[in-house]
Amino acid sequence: MALPSPDHSPSTTPSGRPRANFPGSGLAKGLAVTLRTMTRRSVTAQYPDAQPELPPRSRGVIALFEENCTVCMLCARECPDWCIYIDSHKETVPAAAPGGRERSRNVLDRFAIDFSLCMYCGICIEVCPFDALFWSPEFEYAETDILELTHERDKLREWMWTVPEPPALDPRAEEPKEIAAAHKAAEKAAAAQAAAEAAAQQQEGPQ
């Protein structure tokens, strides 16, 4: 037979909290909460006239930026509900230089998400290696027919413009490599253009 631990008395719980001293104390505490709530003025948001203030990371719907999609099918394979439907075809890209080899690339034909099956886990967004999927706070997409909850890429593209901007970086953080490379390329292009203009002016000068 297990003996009570000497660390606490019968008037306290094993975690050290005091036990109720009289029956009905829980009911009294609940009534006290009710009375405190009754004295407060209730505020009702008149939706849809007044839109709710959603948190910045709300999971409304999934938006598609199809220019970044390479049809790698990773999002569809990792989706636990199998609610992402992707169709594509291959196109031959001619060689960029003479004597080069032709290449083939995938072209997106269909990208659809069945939101009647989606459980908003965000796995597809996390695994996308090219940042083609984003969370949108849009939530007003209810339909009267469950079959109409399968939204195609045109609708997913419209939701892309409702995606909020990412939070600002730490001012002491390093500049992203992509932005640094873009700035470097822009500086090189500007320097080359300035050199070309200077050379043109020198040629025009003697004349």
Side-chain angles (χ1 to χ4, degrees), residues 23-58:
S25 60
L27 178 61
K29 292 178 181 179
L31 291 175
V33 173
T34 303
L35 291 174
R36 285 198 304 268
T37 307
M38 289 175 62
T39 59
R40 298 174 184 173
R41 182 179 178 182
S42 61
V43 179
T44 303
Q46 301 297 329
Y47 178 82
D49 297 330
Q51 293 292 324
E53 295 182 3
L54 300 175
R57 298 180 65 184
S58 298

Short mmCIF file of all heavy atoms in Angstrom, two decimals, residues 23-58:
data_model
loop_
_atom_site.label_atom_id
_atom_site.label_comp_id
_atom_site.label_asym_id
_atom_site.label_seq_id
_atom_site.Cartn_x
_atom_site.Cartn_y
_atom_site.Cartn_z
N PRO A 23 -17.16 22.30 0.64
CA PRO A 23 -17.79 21.84 -0.60
C PRO A 23 -18.48 22.99 -1.32
O PRO A 23 -19.04 23.89 -0.70
CB PRO A 23 -18.80 20.80 -0.11
CG PRO A 23 -19.06 21.15 1.30
CD PRO A 23 -17.78 21.73 1.84
N GLY A 24 -18.41 22.96 -2.65
CA GLY A 24 -19.03 23.99 -3.47
C GLY A 24 -18.16 25.19 -3.73
O GLY A 24 -18.63 26.20 -4.28
N SER A 25 -16.87 25.11 -3.36
CA SER A 25 -16.00 26.26 -3.60
C SER A 25 -15.78 26.50 -5.09
O SER A 25 -15.66 27.65 -5.53
CB SER A 25 -14.65 26.04 -2.90
OG SER A 25 -14.02 24.87 -3.42
N GLY A 26 -15.73 25.41 -5.88
CA GLY A 26 -15.58 25.58 -7.32
C GLY A 26 -16.77 26.30 -7.93
O GLY A 26 -16.61 27.15 -8.80
N LEU A 27 -17.98 25.96 -7.46
CA LEU A 27 -19.18 26.63 -7.96
C LEU A 27 -19.16 28.11 -7.59
O LEU A 27 -19.54 28.97 -8.39
CB LEU A 27 -20.41 25.95 -7.38
CG LEU A 27 -21.77 26.56 -7.75
CD1 LEU A 27 -21.97 26.50 -9.26
CD2 LEU A 27 -22.89 25.83 -7.02
N ALA A 28 -18.69 28.41 -6.40
CA ALA A 28 -18.63 29.81 -5.97
C ALA A 28 -17.65 30.60 -6.84
O ALA A 28 -17.92 31.74 -7.22
CB ALA A 28 -18.23 29.89 -4.50
N LYS A 29 -16.52 29.99 -7.17
CA LYS A 29 -15.55 30.67 -8.03
C LYS A 29 -16.13 30.90 -9.41
O LYS A 29 -15.93 31.97 -10.01
CB LYS A 29 -14.28 29.86 -8.12
CG LYS A 29 -13.49 29.78 -6.81
CD LYS A 29 -12.25 28.92 -6.98
CE LYS A 29 -11.48 28.83 -5.67
NZ LYS A 29 -10.27 27.96 -5.79
N GLY A 30 -16.85 29.91 -9.94
CA GLY A 30 -17.46 30.08 -11.25
C GLY A 30 -18.51 31.18 -11.26
O GLY A 30 -18.59 31.97 -12.20
N LEU A 31 -19.32 31.26 -10.20
CA LEU A 31 -20.32 32.33 -10.11
C LEU A 31 -19.66 33.70 -9.99
O LEU A 31 -20.17 34.69 -10.52
CB LEU A 31 -21.24 32.07 -8.92
CG LEU A 31 -22.19 30.87 -9.06
CD1 LEU A 31 -22.96 30.66 -7.77
CD2 LEU A 31 -23.15 31.07 -10.23
N ALA A 32 -18.52 33.75 -9.30
CA ALA A 32 -17.81 35.02 -9.18
C ALA A 32 -17.33 35.50 -10.55
O ALA A 32 -17.42 36.70 -10.87
CB ALA A 32 -16.64 34.87 -8.22
N VAL A 33 -16.83 34.57 -11.36
CA VAL A 33 -16.41 34.94 -12.72
C VAL A 33 -17.61 35.43 -13.53
O VAL A 33 -17.54 36.42 -14.28
CB VAL A 33 -15.73 33.75 -13.41
CG1 VAL A 33 -15.43 34.06 -14.87
CG2 VAL A 33 -14.44 33.37 -12.69
N THR A 34 -18.76 34.76 -13.36
CA THR A 34 -19.97 35.16 -14.08
C THR A 34 -20.40 36.57 -13.67
O THR A 34 -20.77 37.39 -14.52
CB THR A 34 -21.09 34.16 -13.82
OG1 THR A 34 -20.67 32.86 -14.22
CG2 THR A 34 -22.34 34.53 -14.60
N LEU A 35 -20.37 36.85 -12.39
CA LEU A 35 -20.78 38.17 -11.92
C LEU A 35 -19.84 39.26 -12.43
O LEU A 35 -20.29 40.35 -12.79
CB LEU A 35 -20.84 38.17 -10.39
CG LEU A 35 -21.95 37.32 -9.76
CD1 LEU A 35 -21.82 37.29 -8.24
CD2 LEU A 35 -23.32 37.85 -10.16
N ARG A 36 -18.53 38.97 -12.46
CA ARG A 36 -17.60 39.96 -12.97
C ARG A 36 -17.85 40.23 -14.45
O ARG A 36 -17.75 41.36 -14.92
CB ARG A 36 -16.17 39.50 -12.76
CG ARG A 36 -15.69 39.61 -11.33
CD ARG A 36 -14.17 39.57 -11.25
NE ARG A 36 -13.62 38.37 -11.88
CZ ARG A 36 -13.37 37.24 -11.24
NH1 ARG A 36 -13.66 37.14 -9.93
NH2 ARG A 36 -12.85 36.21 -11.87
N THR A 37 -18.18 39.18 -15.20
CA THR A 37 -18.43 39.34 -16.63
C THR A 37 -19.72 40.10 -16.90
O THR A 37 -19.81 40.87 -17.86
CB THR A 37 -18.47 37.97 -17.30
OG1 THR A 37 -17.29 37.24 -16.98
CG2 THR A 37 -18.58 38.09 -18.81
N MET A 38 -20.72 39.90 -16.05
CA MET A 38 -22.01 40.57 -16.25
C MET A 38 -21.92 42.07 -16.10
O MET A 38 -22.72 42.82 -16.67
CB MET A 38 -23.04 40.01 -15.26
CG MET A 38 -23.47 38.58 -15.55
SD MET A 38 -24.57 37.93 -14.28
CE MET A 38 -25.95 39.08 -14.41
N THR A 39 -20.95 42.53 -15.34
CA THR A 39 -20.82 43.97 -15.14
C THR A 39 -20.07 44.67 -16.27
O THR A 39 -20.03 45.90 -16.31
CB THR A 39 -20.09 44.24 -13.81
OG1 THR A 39 -18.80 43.62 -13.84
CG2 THR A 39 -20.88 43.68 -12.63
N ARG A 40 -19.46 43.91 -17.15
CA ARG A 40 -18.73 44.50 -18.26
C ARG A 40 -19.65 44.70 -19.46
O ARG A 40 -20.54 43.90 -19.71
CB ARG A 40 -17.56 43.62 -18.66
CG ARG A 40 -16.52 43.43 -17.56
CD ARG A 40 -15.47 42.43 -17.98
NE ARG A 40 -14.52 42.16 -16.90
CZ ARG A 40 -13.58 41.22 -16.96
NH1 ARG A 40 -13.43 40.50 -18.07
NH2 ARG A 40 -12.78 41.03 -15.93
N ARG A 41 -19.38 45.76 -20.20
CA ARG A 41 -20.19 46.05 -21.38
C ARG A 41 -19.72 45.18 -22.54
O ARG A 41 -18.53 45.11 -22.83
CB ARG A 41 -20.07 47.51 -21.75
CG ARG A 41 -20.93 47.92 -22.94
CD ARG A 41 -20.76 49.39 -23.24
NE ARG A 41 -21.55 49.79 -24.40
CZ ARG A 41 -21.58 51.01 -24.91
NH1 ARG A 41 -20.84 51.97 -24.34
NH2 ARG A 41 -22.33 51.29 -25.96
N SER A 42 -20.65 44.51 -23.18
CA SER A 42 -20.30 43.65 -24.31
C SER A 42 -20.16 44.49 -25.57
O SER A 42 -20.91 45.45 -25.79
CB SER A 42 -21.37 42.58 -24.52
OG SER A 42 -22.62 43.17 -24.79
N VAL A 43 -19.18 44.14 -26.38
CA VAL A 43 -18.92 44.83 -27.63
C VAL A 43 -19.08 43.83 -28.76
O VAL A 43 -18.40 42.79 -28.78
CB VAL A 43 -17.51 45.45 -27.65
CG1 VAL A 43 -17.25 46.14 -28.97
CG2 VAL A 43 -17.34 46.42 -26.48
N THR A 44 -19.98 44.11 -29.68
CA THR A 44 -20.24 43.21 -30.80
C THR A 44 -19.77 43.86 -32.09
O THR A 44 -20.15 45.00 -32.40
CB THR A 44 -21.75 42.89 -30.90
OG1 THR A 44 -22.19 42.32 -29.67
CG2 THR A 44 -22.01 41.91 -32.03
N ALA A 45 -18.92 43.17 -32.82
CA ALA A 45 -18.47 43.66 -34.13
C ALA A 45 -19.54 43.35 -35.16
O ALA A 45 -19.94 42.19 -35.32
CB ALA A 45 -17.16 43.01 -34.51
N GLN A 46 -20.03 44.36 -35.84
CA GLN A 46 -21.11 44.20 -36.79
C GLN A 46 -20.56 43.71 -38.13
O GLN A 46 -20.43 44.44 -39.10
CB GLN A 46 -21.86 45.52 -36.97
CG GLN A 46 -22.46 46.08 -35.70
CD GLN A 46 -23.52 45.17 -35.11
OE1 GLN A 46 -24.22 44.45 -35.84
NE2 GLN A 46 -23.64 45.17 -33.80
N TYR A 47 -20.21 42.42 -38.16
CA TYR A 47 -19.72 41.81 -39.39
C TYR A 47 -20.93 41.54 -40.30
O TYR A 47 -21.98 41.14 -39.81
CB TYR A 47 -19.00 40.50 -39.07
CG TYR A 47 -18.51 39.75 -40.27
CD1 TYR A 47 -17.32 40.09 -40.88
CD2 TYR A 47 -19.26 38.71 -40.80
CE1 TYR A 47 -16.88 39.41 -41.98
CE2 TYR A 47 -18.82 38.02 -41.91
CZ TYR A 47 -17.63 38.37 -42.50
OH TYR A 47 -17.19 37.70 -43.60
N PRO A 48 -20.87 41.76 -41.60
CA PRO A 48 -19.69 42.09 -42.41
C PRO A 48 -19.44 43.58 -42.61
O PRO A 48 -18.53 43.95 -43.33
CB PRO A 48 -20.02 41.44 -43.75
CG PRO A 48 -21.51 41.56 -43.84
CD PRO A 48 -22.03 41.42 -42.44
N ASP A 49 -20.25 44.44 -41.98
CA ASP A 49 -20.00 45.88 -42.13
C ASP A 49 -18.67 46.28 -41.51
O ASP A 49 -17.96 47.12 -42.06
CB ASP A 49 -21.15 46.67 -41.49
CG ASP A 49 -22.47 46.39 -42.19
OD1 ASP A 49 -22.45 46.11 -43.40
OD2 ASP A 49 -23.52 46.45 -41.53
N ALA A 50 -18.34 45.67 -40.39
CA ALA A 50 -17.06 45.93 -39.73
C ALA A 50 -16.20 44.69 -39.86
O ALA A 50 -16.54 43.63 -39.34
CB ALA A 50 -17.28 46.28 -38.25
N GLN A 51 -15.10 44.81 -40.57
CA GLN A 51 -14.21 43.68 -40.78
C GLN A 51 -13.40 43.40 -39.52
O GLN A 51 -12.98 44.33 -38.82
CB GLN A 51 -13.26 43.95 -41.94
CG GLN A 51 -13.95 44.03 -43.29
CD GLN A 51 -14.51 42.67 -43.73
OE1 GLN A 51 -13.91 41.64 -43.47
NE2 GLN A 51 -15.66 42.69 -44.35
N PRO A 52 -13.18 42.13 -39.19
CA PRO A 52 -12.39 41.82 -38.00
C PRO A 52 -10.91 42.15 -38.20
O PRO A 52 -10.40 42.14 -39.31
CB PRO A 52 -12.60 40.31 -37.83
CG PRO A 52 -12.88 39.81 -39.21
CD PRO A 52 -13.64 40.92 -39.89
N GLU A 53 -10.25 42.47 -37.10
CA GLU A 53 -8.81 42.72 -37.13
C GLU A 53 -8.09 41.39 -36.92
O GLU A 53 -8.03 40.86 -35.81
CB GLU A 53 -8.41 43.72 -36.04
CG GLU A 53 -9.01 45.11 -36.25
CD GLU A 53 -8.55 46.10 -35.19
OE1 GLU A 53 -7.72 45.69 -34.33
OE2 GLU A 53 -9.00 47.25 -35.21
N LEU A 54 -7.55 40.85 -38.00
CA LEU A 54 -6.93 39.54 -37.96
C LEU A 54 -5.47 39.65 -37.56
O LEU A 54 -4.80 40.65 -37.86
CB LEU A 54 -7.04 38.87 -39.32
CG LEU A 54 -8.46 38.64 -39.85
CD1 LEU A 54 -8.40 38.06 -41.26
CD2 LEU A 54 -9.23 37.70 -38.94
N PRO A 55 -4.94 38.65 -36.88
CA PRO A 55 -3.51 38.65 -36.57
C PRO A 55 -2.68 38.64 -37.85
O PRO A 55 -3.14 38.17 -38.90
CB PRO A 55 -3.31 37.36 -35.76
CG PRO A 55 -4.67 37.01 -35.25
CD PRO A 55 -5.64 37.50 -36.28
N PRO A 56 -1.46 39.14 -37.80
CA PRO A 56 -0.65 39.22 -39.03
C PRO A 56 -0.32 37.86 -39.62
O PRO A 56 -0.06 37.77 -40.82
CB PRO A 56 0.61 39.97 -38.58
CG PRO A 56 0.66 39.79 -37.09
CD PRO A 56 -0.77 39.73 -36.65
N ARG A 57 -0.33 36.80 -38.83
CA ARG A 57 0.01 35.47 -39.34
C ARG A 57 -1.22 34.58 -39.43
O ARG A 57 -1.15 33.38 -39.21
CB ARG A 57 1.07 34.83 -38.44
CG ARG A 57 2.37 35.58 -38.39
CD ARG A 57 3.38 34.92 -37.49
NE ARG A 57 3.76 33.61 -38.01
CZ ARG A 57 4.58 32.76 -37.37
NH1 ARG A 57 5.07 33.10 -36.20
NH2 ARG A 57 4.89 31.61 -37.89
N SER A 58 -2.36 35.17 -39.75
CA SER A 58 -3.59 34.40 -39.87
C SER A 58 -3.49 33.40 -41.02
O SER A 58 -2.93 33.70 -42.08
CB SER A 58 -4.79 35.33 -40.10
OG SER A 58 -4.96 36.20 -39.01
#
